[in-house]
């Protein structure tokens, strides 16, 4: 039997007309790439922030890695996760290496691992440059490197290919696809780019106006219509902006 | 815990924290040193240092510590790092690390301050030996009171991502600290944390009008200031932690909550109701500062000045006999030299921060000619400065009426205001240039404070026109309303500074590549 690495029970943020996330029951099985899809403003980022305890839920519970998350055990659980939410976080006046040193210390990870992740995201050559001089794509890679430090079991990435060039997008995509196989890392990745999701996700959750409108395997979703795009537009009510 | 602290050290690499303290110490020692190294005072120099320190601290530290706290908190706002840090370390560890970092910095600062004054004493040759217990007590006081101010500023910088708020409070604090020294209600000094430097003073001056300073003697403070300092520490430390813990709004930004926009309905194909939005009649620079808290500073600072200035005037009626003129000095002197320059600095920093944010420069420089952009900024800054000085004048008149001055209002008030605004424009141009080049919010404000004190120094040498800061104060006749100003010279230097800094700003933008923060 497959265990779920993330489970939420009627997770809610906001009330009335300000409802941002509405009674969400997420099930993310361990060892998959879970694509979290939805139009702009659907509540993707809010949900991911709730999962990380950055926002306090109005209602509902979150179980991460088999433990119900509370204020007390939050950080202990998050030790086994890595995340990149919205745009990457960094100190612009410090170098890429120094930024990673900070994260390594916070995660209590040996400094030797830094070289590893720097090579993984191909930033090793630029490690001594100040981050404010990085290009958008390089900052994004640095964000991914920060998330990867400490060999997490669960990776939560919010639109990780933002700002990357086609080669970079493909590289990150292949990289994410291989994470469950090569490193036993479960990945939750949000996006509004359907083609991208089609190529890397095994499981899909679709959220619209804060409500989960589909959750299941990618294969089952694709079977519902001629193309993923058509199914997606039908589910989210078409004319809305993507 | 050591981990958290060493991280803070790593994070503040290249932030120039030590420069903030060096500038603060330098200003204090130069100013204080100039006061005590007079040959007449050498025989009681050691005590005179202890007498002078609380005043210097009260004027300079609140603003300096606001700059420092903003330096180490703002980097987390700018780097978008709260959401990252909070997934990695406990909130309390993060809070404690920030507190400890400040505590150590304040500790080193307090030690360095006394060592520097000891060095001054040895160099200029104070007579006798210093009383070690007195220096020790002074050190403990500076340390404890400054630590409280640090906790307060840290909290403000945390709560309001917009650093203008914290910096304005720091300025108000400097102002309150200074004025409270001269206010006859001692309990106020105890209540307000900025007044503690004055409340804790334990050296008094033996002075009479005929012979000047005769000496200094120790007094025993019986106002319970010790308990007030401890009380504030407990309140700030615990209250700060409580506020920090309960911040949920996307990490740490506590934004001013606005009423929700009209509720989004689920029917998305409903026809649009109401009028189509009209284009706003406001000029674009004014639109940019819509809903910004900048007005708070320009309302509040003159109010503090007027309140305390009037109180002071009413309590010294036997000395201050020239009615309107005396009242003017009470209102304008400290305000123009110490507070107006940093306040203009806040305005200028705020106006340029709008463009320094994110990738805004890309947009601005592709839509606005540089000469007009710079001109707009200086102009808007001047308008706000004019409002501030005008507000000061309005308060002055109201307070005069309240104080029961029956003589006619001095007709030259309008001239003072006009000259003040012309000199103020020169300050605006200078600060706009500084805030354009230095992308930090707080640093140009600290420089303005130093500039204002430098202006006081130049004025005392009769060279007020060499700095824009003293031009403004001289224009306002802040130190003596009956002084005659050579108007042609005054206007010439003012216009020269305005044109100089305007051209420098335009040149700077034209000759440097655009730098964005995205």
């Amino acid at each position: 039997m497959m265990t779920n690495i993330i489970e939420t029970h009627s997770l809610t943020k906001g009330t009335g007309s300000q409802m941002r996330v509405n009674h969400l029951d997420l099930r993310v099985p361990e060892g998959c790439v879970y694509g979290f899809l939805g139009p702009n403003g659907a509540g993707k980022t809010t949900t991911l922030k709730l999962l990380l305890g950055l926002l306090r839920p109005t209602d509902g519970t979150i179980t991460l890695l088999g433990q119900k998350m509370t204020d007390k055990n939050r950080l202990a659980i998050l030790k086994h996760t890595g995340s990149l939410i919205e745009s990457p976080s960094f100190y612009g006046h410090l170098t890429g290496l120094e930024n990673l040193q900070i994260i390594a210390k916070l995660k209590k990870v040996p400094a030797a691992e830094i070289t590893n992740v720097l090579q993984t995201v191909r930033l090793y050559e630029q490690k001594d440059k100040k981050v404010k001089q990085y290009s958008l794509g390089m900052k994004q890679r640095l964000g991914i490197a920060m998330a990867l430090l400490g060999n997490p079991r669960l990776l939560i990435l919010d639109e990780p290919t933002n700002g990357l060039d086609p080669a970079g997008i493909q590289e990150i995509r292949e990289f994410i696809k291989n994470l469950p196989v090569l490193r036993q890392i479960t990945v939750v990745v949000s996006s509004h780019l359907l083609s991208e999701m089609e190529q890397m996700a095994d499981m899909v959750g679709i959220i619209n106006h804060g409500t989960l409108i589909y959750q299941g395997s990618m294969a089952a979703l694709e079977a519902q219509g001629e193309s993923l795009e058509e199914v997606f537009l039908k589910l989210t009510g078409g004319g809305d902006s993507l | 815990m050591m981990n958290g602290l060493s991280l803070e050290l790593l994070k503040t690499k290249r932030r120039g924290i030590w420069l903030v303290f060096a500038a603060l110490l330098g200003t204090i020692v130069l100013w204080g040193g100039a006061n005590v190294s007079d040959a007449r005072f050498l025989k009681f120099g050691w005590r005179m240092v202890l007498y002078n320190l609380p005043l210097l601290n009260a004027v300079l530290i609140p603003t300096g510590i606001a700059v420092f706290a903003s330096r180490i908190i703002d980097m987390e706002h700018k780097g978008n790092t709260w959401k990252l840090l909070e997934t990695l370390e406990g909130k309390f560890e993060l809070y404690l690390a920030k507190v400890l970092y400040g505590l150590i910095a304040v500790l080193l600062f307090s030690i360095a301050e006394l060592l520097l004054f000891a060095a001054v004493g040895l160099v200029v040759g104070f007579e006798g030996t210093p009383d070690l217990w007195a220096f020790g007590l002074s050190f403990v006081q500076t340390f404890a009171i400054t630590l409280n101010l640090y906790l307060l500023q840290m909290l403000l910088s945390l709560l309001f991502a917009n650093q203008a708020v914290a910096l304005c409070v720091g300025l108000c604090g400097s102002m309150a600290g200074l004025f409270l020294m001269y206010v006859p209600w001692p309990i106020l000094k105890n209540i307000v944390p900025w007044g503690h430097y004055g409340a804790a003073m334990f050296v008094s001056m033996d002075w009479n009008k005929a012979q000047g300073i005769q000496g200094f003697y120790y007094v025993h403070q019986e106002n319970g200031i010790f308990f007030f300092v401890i009380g504030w520490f407990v309140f700030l430390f615990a209250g700060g932690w409580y506020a920090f813990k309960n911040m949920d709004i996307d990490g740490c930004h506590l934004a001013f909550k606005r009423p929700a926009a009209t509720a989004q309905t689920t029917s998305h194909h409903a026809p649009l109701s109401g009028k189509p939005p009209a284009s706003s009649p406001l000029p674009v620079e004014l639109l940019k500062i819509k809903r910004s808290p900048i007005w708070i500073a320009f309302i509040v600072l003159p109010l503090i000045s007027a309140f305390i200035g009037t109180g002071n005037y009413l309590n010294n009626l036997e000395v201050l006999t020239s009615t309107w003129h005396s009242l003017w000095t009470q209102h304008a002197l400290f305000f123009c030299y110490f507070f107006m320059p940093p306040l203009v600095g806040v305005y200028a920093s705020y106006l340029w921060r709008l463009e320094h944010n994110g990738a805004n420069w890309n947009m601005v420089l592709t839509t606005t000619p540089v000469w007009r952009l710079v001109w707009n900024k200086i102009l808007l800054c001047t308008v706000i400065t004019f409002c501030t000085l005008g507000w000061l004048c309005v308060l002055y008149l109201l307070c005069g009426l309240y104080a029961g001055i029956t003589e006619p209002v001095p007709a030259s008030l309008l001239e003072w205001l006009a000259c003040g605004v012309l000199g103020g424009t020169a300050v605006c141009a200078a600060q706009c240039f500084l805030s354009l080049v230095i992308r930090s919010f707080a640093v140009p404000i600290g420089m303005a404070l130093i500039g204002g004190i430098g202006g006081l120094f130049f004025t005392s040498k009769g060279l007020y026109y060499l700095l824009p800061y003293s031009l403004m104060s001289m224009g306002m006749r802040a130190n003596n309303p009956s002084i005659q100003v050579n108007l042609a010279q005054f206007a010439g230097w003012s216009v020269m500074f305005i044109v100089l800094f305007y051209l420098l700003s335009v040149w700077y933008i034209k000759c440097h590549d655009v730098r964005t923060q995205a």
Side-chain angles (χ1 to χ4, degrees):
Chain A
M1 183 194 140
M2 222 188 327
T3 54
N4 289 328
I5 197 159
I6 300 177
E7 280 190 26
T8 69
H9 292 281
S10 81
L11 184 63
T12 304
K13 179 74 183 175
T15 50
S17 64
Q18 287 288 297
M19 188 66 90
R20 291 152 75 188
V21 169
N22 195 352
H23 295 90
L24 228 53
D25 291 314
L26 287 180
R27 299 281 179 275
V28 179
E30 182 150 21
C32 75
V33 173
Y34 185 97
F36 197 37
L37 273 168
N40 285 339
K44 297 190 294 291
T45 301
T46 307
T47 308
L48 298 186
K49 281 185 178 167
L50 284 165
L51 289 180
L52 291 168
L54 289 171
L55 301 177
R56 280 155 203 257
T58 314
D59 193 20
T61 60
I62 299 164
T63 310
L64 281 190
L65 301 122
Q67 279 179 283
K68 193 172 156 197
M69 192 150 79
T70 62
D71 260 0
K72 280 219 173 95
N73 64 13
R74 188 178 83 93
L75 281 170
I77 298 174
L78 291 181
K79 261 177 87 81
H80 305 288
T81 68
S83 58
L84 168 57
I85 302 293
E86 291 170 321
S87 47
S89 311
F90 57 84
Y91 298 100
H93 62 286
L94 299 178
T95 66
L97 177 64
E98 286 165 343
N99 269 283
L100 285 172
Q101 282 169 343
I102 290 174
I103 308 302
K105 279 192 164 191
L106 285 170
K107 288 190 173 178
K108 302 204 171 52
V109 167
E113 254 196 62
I114 295 175
T115 315
N116 242 331
V117 293
L118 274 170
Q119 279 164 342
T120 310
V121 298
R122 294 198 300 109
L123 271 182
Y124 190 77
E125 301 298 317
Q126 275 91 25
K127 67 179 187 320
D128 294 322
K129 229 172 158 185
K130 282 189 202 164
V131 177
K132 64 181 172 197
Q133 291 158 354
Y134 276 18
S135 72
L136 192 54
M138 285 157 73
K139 285 175 187 159
Q140 201 72 13
R141 284 164 199 278
L142 181 69
I144 294 175
M146 287 176 172
L148 278 175
L149 257 186
N151 221 359
R153 279 176 62 196
L154 170 66
L155 206 54
I156 295 180
L157 303 174
D158 189 12
E159 311 199 349
T161 53
N162 254 355
L164 296 183
D165 56 19
I169 292 178
Q170 195 190 15
E171 192 188 349
I172 295 290
R173 194 164 60 211
E174 291 305 310
F175 176 72
I176 290 177
K177 246 165 91 171
N178 289 326
L179 281 174
V181 191
L182 297 180
R183 300 208 196 181
Q184 287 76 50
I185 299 178
T186 310
V187 188
V188 174
V189 50
S190 84
S191 178
H192 53 257
L193 299 175
L194 297 171
S195 57
E196 203 174 287
M197 280 296 146
E198 212 166 1
Q199 292 176 57
M200 60 184 174
D202 321 311
M203 296 291 294
V204 190
I206 299 179
I207 185 173
N208 194 22
H209 298 308
T211 313
L212 198 63
I213 51 177
Y214 175 86
Q215 182 166 246
S217 74
M218 180 59 114
L221 180 68
E222 282 177 309
Q224 289 190 8
E226 281 190 8
S227 71
L228 182 62
E229 192 175 21
E230 190 187 306
V231 175
F232 182 82
L233 289 178
K234 206 158 70 191
L235 282 170
T236 57
D240 285 354
S241 70
L242 265 188
Chain B
M1 195 57 260
M2 291 319 291
N3 193 33
L5 197 59
S6 67
L7 276 176
E8 291 300 319
L9 274 175
L10 186 56
K11 283 195 253 180
T12 48
K13 217 172 139 180
R14 281 196 285 280
R15 284 246 91 185
I17 298 295
W18 64 273
L19 268 177
V20 176
F21 281 106
L24 189 57
L25 277 173
T27 317
I28 291 181
V29 172
L30 280 180
W31 187 357
N35 266 353
V36 295
S37 49
D38 192 309
R40 283 174 297 162
F41 305 143
L42 289 184
K43 54 179 180 286
F44 35 70
W46 294 115
R47 288 186 183 184
M48 191 171 177
V49 164
L50 294 176
Y51 176 80
N52 271 306
L53 261 185
L55 177 68
L56 296 170
N57 286 345
V59 178
L60 291 166
I61 288 182
T63 306
I65 211 84
V67 173
F68 166 66
S70 168
R71 284 302 276 166
I72 66 171
I73 300 293
D74 193 30
M75 67 180 178
E76 315 283 6
H77 292 308
K78 271 189 187 156
N80 232 333
T81 48
W82 294 115
K83 65 186 181 205
L84 177 71
L85 293 176
E86 283 185 29
T87 62
L88 300 178
E89 58 182 328
K91 269 191 158 183
F92 190 67
E93 279 93 274
L94 184 56
Y95 179 71
L96 207 58
K98 293 278 183 206
V99 170
L100 273 182
Y101 183 88
L103 185 144
I104 292 173
V106 169
L107 184 70
L108 292 177
F109 167 81
S110 314
I111 295 173
E113 189 182 42
L114 283 181
L115 286 183
L116 279 169
F117 273 106
V120 168
L122 292 177
V123 170
V124 302
F126 290 165
E127 286 172 26
T129 48
D131 298 314
L132 282 181
W133 67 267
F135 271 74
L137 180 60
S138 170
F139 157 75
V140 171
Q141 289 179 347
T142 307
F143 168 69
I145 297 167
T146 309
L147 181 63
N148 275 354
L149 293 184
Y150 167 74
L151 289 175
L152 177 67
Q153 287 303 139
M154 185 185 91
L155 185 64
L156 290 167
S157 284
L158 274 170
L159 285 173
F160 303 97
N162 182 346
Q163 298 298 301
V165 179
L167 266 302
C168 286
V169 173
L171 270 179
C172 291
S174 270
M175 178 132 198
L178 171 62
F179 279 107
L180 287 174
M181 291 262 173
Y182 302 105
V183 158
W185 314 292
I187 189 69
L188 268 184
K189 278 191 273 202
N190 284 5
I191 293 171
V192 185
W194 301 287
H196 288 179
Y197 292 111
M201 264 180 95
F202 60 95
V203 182
S204 231
M205 183 162 65
D206 183 8
W207 182 86
N208 63 52
K209 212 169 183 179
Q211 292 157 297
I213 302 174
Q214 294 299 297
F216 296 88
Y217 56 94
Y218 296 119
V219 288
H220 190 63
Q221 277 296 1
E222 280 168 348
N223 52 10
I225 181 63
F226 176 78
F227 299 104
F228 281 93
V229 173
I230 299 287
W232 267 101
F233 175 79
V234 172
F235 171 73
L236 286 168
F237 185 80
W241 162 235
Y242 180 79
F244 185 55
K245 189 179 72 177
N246 288 300
M247 275 182 275
D248 169 72
I249 307 150
D250 279 22
C252 232
H253 300 225
L254 184 77
F256 286 110
K257 275 194 184 162
R258 291 205 299 275
T262 40
Q264 288 205 336
T265 50
T266 39
S267 63
H268 290 269
H269 300 289
L272 293 170
S273 58
K275 283 184 291 185
S279 112
S280 167
L282 291 175
V284 61
E285 288 296 330
L286 276 180
L287 264 180
K288 285 184 192 169
I289 60 165
K290 213 172 139 182
R291 274 194 287 275
S292 74
I294 206 164
W295 55 270
I296 298 174
F298 101 69
I299 300 279
V300 172
L301 243 84
L303 264 180
I304 301 180
S305 171
F307 178 70
I308 304 180
T310 310
N312 219 1
Y313 170 79
L314 289 176
N315 275 287
N316 294 293
L317 282 175
E318 68 278 13
V319 195
L320 305 169
T321 47
S322 41
T323 60
W324 282 109
H325 279 193
S326 297
L327 184 67
W328 179 251
T329 324
Q330 293 300 319
H331 274 224
L333 178 62
F334 292 134
F335 185 77
C336 286
Y337 278 104
F338 298 140
F339 302 106
M340 203 53 206
L343 191 56
V344 175
V346 171
Y347 300 155
S349 272
Y350 186 80
L351 293 179
W352 278 124
R353 182 178 170 104
L354 297 168
E355 320 302 351
H356 290 320
N357 269 346
N360 292 0
W361 272 115
N362 295 340
M363 186 267 296
V364 173
L365 289 183
T366 47
T367 50
T368 323
V370 174
W371 60 268
R372 194 196 294 159
L373 177 70
V374 174
W375 185 244
N376 280 343
K377 294 286 182 199
I378 297 179
L379 190 67
L380 182 55
C381 194
T382 304
V383 170
I384 310 173
T385 304
F386 169 71
C387 293
T388 312
L389 294 178
W391 175 228
L392 183 78
C393 292
V394 170
L395 287 172
Y396 165 66
L397 294 177
L398 291 178
C399 290
L401 294 178
Y402 170 78
I405 300 180
T406 47
E407 285 152 50
V409 177
S412 41
L413 181 64
L414 279 179
E415 187 200 321
W416 303 343
L417 181 60
C419 288
V421 172
L422 182 60
T425 311
V427 179
C428 287
Q431 285 301 130
C432 277
F433 174 68
L434 288 176
S435 292
L436 167 69
V437 176
I438 302 170
R439 298 163 81 94
S440 146
F441 190 91
V443 171
I445 298 168
M447 294 168 81
L449 179 65
I450 298 176
I453 294 168
L456 190 62
F457 174 76
F458 278 123
T459 308
S460 72
K461 300 267 179 264
L463 302 169
Y464 70 89
Y465 43 80
L466 286 185
L467 273 181
Y469 307 99
S470 38
L471 276 172
M472 174 167 64
S473 314
M474 186 53 83
M476 289 293 275
R477 313 294 198 280
N479 40 351
N480 181 3
S482 43
I483 203 167
Q484 282 302 313
V485 172
N486 180 340
L487 283 181
Q489 186 192 40
F490 177 84
W493 280 92
S494 299
V495 171
M496 197 282 293
F497 277 120
I498 296 168
V499 173
L500 172 74
F501 285 111
Y502 171 70
L503 291 178
L504 275 175
S505 300
V506 172
W507 166 81
Y508 179 83
I509 299 179
K510 289 215 170 188
C511 292
H512 286 81
D513 291 336
V514 67
R515 280 189 298 156
T516 54
Q517 235 184 16

